[in-house]
């Protein structure tokens, strides 16, 4: 599960910081990509050189180097968006308090405040500090923010006292995150085919018939499916969007025929297929070998129908396979979408109505209506394509998977 995962490890100023060298090593060995951000105090306990060598990435602790006047700085937002998950270990009492209050006086806290990914925190402190009502309240508050608390262990503490407050061992931290991620991976073990983007149908070597699809919706679906644990195969037409997740297997195609061939081949072993591509319905009957020259007269191009990829998959889908189509309608939307759902033997259809403000081709947001075989509709209001993708996948997990 760690292969290709981007882990940002936040280390704060506790003696337990020395254990992060082992934690970093274990994460790297498991296949994760690791970037370490230190709080300024953490540098008193562990050297950036050690962690940089182990993580194979520069270790950061400040927004900019005051000695360097080149204007370069460490962008906390970019770091936060890079991460698939953040582990703050050890998390001192001071850092817990700042996370709760939104105090943002160092790079690590800036990263934390900008993060959208799951956050795990493993406290380390002396037993009375750990027991203190303020600490208990801070831990509860952070859990109420949706963050994941990795409890401290019992044992001899750096102060010489015995009790609770030792940071969980690196192996325990890894096991905790794995278990938690598995719970939140409802698509673990599932294989998903997603197609996305437009297709381009060649007229001659330099011209084509296409459409305005960017592929953003399909790419968002692929990324979210991967985040939920699925093995994702993305058949991608020539739009502008590409997934950032390197674990997604991308098959680049240009024409509807190429997309059809790739989808037909991959579909055989799939549990789920989601066909979000804006496939061109027609292609020129013949592609001219050379660039077509102006003749001073009208030009007629004979178009012939492309294969209907979704319909083809619907005809051969087996009982265990879930097939999801999209429908783009500008009039009589719901009845037309229902007709498509049955005609193409889908289990679910996602209806796009591009006339709605902020939805459809090219936008980062979308508003869709989900329609099942029972013809019940479920509207997903306007939100980011990533959020829409997550809700479509949640719907599939909750209603269509056995
Ligand atoms: N689709 C497909 N192959 C095609 C055309 C469409 O696989 N040649 C798929 C789309 O990816 C989508 C669904 O069929 O999942 C519906 O696409 P849409 O463009 O809304 O409908 P069409 O079937 O093309 O019908 P029409 O354009 O006449 O509305």
């Amino acid at each position: 599960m760690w292969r290709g995962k981007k882990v940002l490890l936040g280390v704060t100023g506790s003696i337990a910081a020395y254990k992060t060298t082992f934690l970093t090593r274990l994460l790297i060995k498991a296949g994760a990509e690791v970037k370490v951000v230190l709080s300024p105090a953490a540098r008193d306990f562990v050297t950036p050189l050690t962690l940089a060598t182990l993580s194979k990435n520069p270790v950061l602790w400040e927004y900019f180097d005051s000695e360097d006047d080149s204007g370069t700085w460490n962008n906390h937002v970019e770091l936060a968006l890079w991460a698939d998950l953040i582990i703050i270990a050890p998390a001192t009492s001071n850092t817990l308090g700042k996370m709760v209050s939104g105090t943002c006086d160092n790079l690590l806290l800036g990263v934390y405040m900008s993060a959208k990914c799951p956050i795990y925190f493993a406290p380390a402190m002396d037993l009375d500090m750990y027991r203190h009502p303020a600490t208990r309240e801070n831990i509860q508050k952070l859990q109420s923010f949706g963050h994941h608390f990795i409890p401290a262990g019992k044992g001899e503490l750096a102060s010489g006292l015995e009790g609770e407050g030792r940071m969980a061992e690196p192996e325990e931290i890894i096991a905790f995150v794995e278990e938690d991620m598995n719970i939140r991976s409802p698509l673990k073990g599932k294989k998903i085919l997603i197609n996305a983007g437009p297709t381009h149908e060649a007229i001659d070597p330099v011209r084509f018939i296409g459409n305005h699809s960017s592929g953003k919706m399909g790419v968002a679906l692929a990324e979210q499916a991967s985040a939920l644990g699925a093995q994702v195969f993305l058949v991608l037409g020539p739009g502008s969007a590409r997934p950032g997740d390197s674990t997604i297997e991308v098959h680049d195609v240009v024409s509807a025929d190429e997309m059809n061939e790739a989808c037909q081949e991959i579909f055989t072993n799939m549990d789920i297929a989601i066909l979000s591509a804006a496939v061109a319905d027609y292609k020129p009957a013949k592609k001219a070998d050379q660039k077509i020259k102006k003749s001073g007269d009208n030009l007629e191009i004979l178009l012939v129908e492309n294969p209907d990829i979704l319909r083809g998959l619907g005809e051969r889908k087996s009982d265990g396979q879930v097939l999801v189509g999209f429908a783009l309608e500008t009039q009589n939307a719901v009845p037309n979408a229902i007709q498509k759902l049955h005609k193409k033997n889908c289990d679910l259809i996602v209806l796009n109505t591009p006339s709605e403000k902020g939805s459809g081709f090219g936008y980062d947001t979308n508003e869709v209506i989900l329609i099942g075989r029972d013809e019940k509709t479920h509207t997903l209001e306007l939100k980011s394509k990533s959020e829409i993708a997550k809700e479509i996948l949640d719907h599939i997990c909750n209603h269509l998977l056995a």
Side-chain angles (χ1 to χ4, degrees), residues 80 110 224 317 381:
Q224 290 296 328
K317 111 179 148 84
E381 305 291 349

Side-chain angles (χ1 to χ4, degrees), residues 195 256 274-282 306-311 324-329 336 340 343-344 346 349:
N195 74 3
I274 307 177
L275 273 70
S276 69
V279 186
D281 287 331
Y282 292 91
N306 265 325
D308 189 319
I309 307 171
L310 179 60
R311 194 169 182 165
V324 180
F326 270 63
L328 182 70
E329 303 294 342
N336 279 346
K340 268 181 201 167
K343 199 168 80 182
K344 303 195 187 196
C346 297
I349 200 131

Side-chain angles (χ1 to χ4, degrees), residues 259-333:
M259 187 174 270
N260 187 36
E261 201 179 312
C263 289
Q264 294 293 343
E265 193 181 321
I266 296 167
F267 183 62
T268 313
N269 297 317
M270 294 297 115
D271 299 291
I272 303 167
I274 307 177
L275 273 70
S276 69
V279 186
D281 287 331
Y282 292 91
K283 65 181 170 194
K286 190 176 170 310
K287 176 186 162 191
D289 292 336
Q290 304 299 330
K291 184 181 168 209
I292 299 171
K293 290 284 188 192
K294 274 200 297 282
S295 66
D297 207 350
N298 292 342
L299 173 69
E300 282 187 9
I301 299 174
L302 177 66
L303 300 179
V304 293
E305 239 183 83
N306 265 325
D308 189 319
I309 307 171
L310 179 60
R311 194 169 182 165
L313 300 188
E315 279 164 8
R316 54 176 277 232
K317 111 179 148 84
S318 61
D319 277 353
Q321 289 182 303
V322 173
L323 184 61
V324 180
F326 270 63
L328 182 70
E329 303 294 342
T330 53
Q331 55 181 344
N332 213 15

